[in-house]
Amino acid sequence: MKIRLMTTVILAVLLGAPLALHAEEISADKQKAIADMLATMKCEVDPANIEAGAEGYELDDVFCSDGQYDMNLNADLTVADKRKE
């Protein structure tokens, strides 16, 4: 009985772990603010490619007039890092 309970607990933790790792939802207002900021740089990003982090936002596959980039933004939406792909 103890083994069955332990197995059930382990399975519950393992199956629930991906839910806990799911990225934080970005509000529509914040997505618009990011899109507006990127537009000033002649760039755009699919909202699905924006992830919230501890210190700001991570943007994957940002398309700009001069190429494609991955970017990290600070919480105030300033560019912390920009890497050309």
Side-chain angles (χ1 to χ4, degrees):
M1 189 67 162
K2 235 180 179 183
I3 292 174
R4 178 173 238 170
L5 178 62
M6 181 82 107
T7 302
T8 302
V9 169
I10 290 172
L11 284 174
V13 169
L14 291 176
L15 293 174
L19 296 175
L21 296 175
H22 181 63
E24 179 183 327
E25 184 87 19
I26 310 293
S27 71
D29 289 342
K30 191 58 75 173
Q31 288 178 14
K32 183 175 178 350
I34 291 170
D36 291 346
M37 184 277 299
L38 289 174
T40 66
M41 299 170 55
K42 298 182 181 171
C43 300
E44 59 183 27
V45 67
D46 183 330
N49 291 334
I50 302 172
E51 293 182 21
E55 298 177 18
Y57 301 90
E58 182 178 321
L59 285 57
D60 293 322
D61 301 327
V62 179
F63 294 97
C64 298
S65 60
D66 65 340
Q68 182 177 345
Y69 295 87
D70 285 342
M71 293 184 195
N72 290 327
L73 304 179
N74 294 319
D76 64 354
L77 304 185
T78 57
V79 177
D81 185 39
K82 181 178 176 182
R83 298 168 307 284
K84 192 160 189 159
E85 288 192 334

